[in-house]
Amino acid sequence: MNRRKLIRMTDDEIRAFLEEERILQVATLDHDGFPHLVAMWYVLVNNEITFWTYAKSQKAVNLRRDPRLTCMVEAGEHYCELRGVQIKGHARFNEDRE
């Protein structure tokens, strides 16, 4: 069996990991095609990654132009402890502040 299969998290482990952590790396595509990478605080709402940002932030501008994004949550202090989850998807905006 290959190493990747041995270390892969189950769906329940991924959910628990995402509920435990709070810092998310968010990558969007900038106007020049290069990645724009920022750290954000996040929460899970109905099992979906949710974060708040200013409407005029660069990440919001990028996502309105192209809603594709890649997110990564990682943890661990030493190499042998590293673990993380990468999520690829499309952003949805919710303008309701409630």
Side-chain angles (χ1 to χ4, degrees):
M1 180 175 271
N2 71 26
R3 175 113 173 101
R4 184 173 301 210
K5 289 182 180 177
L6 291 173
I7 63 173
R8 179 173 286 156
M9 291 185 206
T10 66
D11 289 346
D12 288 340
E13 289 171 328
I14 290 170
R15 187 174 299 104
F17 178 72
L18 293 175
E19 288 172 351
E20 175 183 311
E21 299 299 324
R22 288 293 161 247
I23 300 174
L24 174 76
Q25 304 296 322
V26 178
T28 62
L29 291 174
D30 227 339
H31 66 3
D32 56 7
F34 282 90
H36 176 79
L37 183 64
V38 295
M40 299 290 299
W41 282 80
Y42 76 94
V43 295
L44 286 181
V45 176
N46 299 321
N47 288 322
E48 292 184 344
I49 298 283
T50 304
F51 59 89
W52 181 90
T53 190
Y54 291 100
K56 293 184 180 180
S57 69
Q58 189 61 55
K59 76 188 102 18
V61 170
N62 291 347
L63 290 169
R64 288 188 195 285
R65 182 179 55 252
D66 183 339
R68 294 178 295 165
L69 74 164
T70 299
C71 300
M72 186 181 73
V73 178
E74 53 86 15
E77 295 294 320
H78 303 282
Y79 182 78
C80 63
E81 301 170 344
L82 285 179
R83 57 194 177 125
V85 173
Q86 175 183 281
I87 301 165
K88 293 180 181 180
H90 294 83
R92 287 193 321 255
F93 285 85
N94 181 346
E95 307 294 339
D96 181 9
R97 291 184 177 244
E98 297 298 318

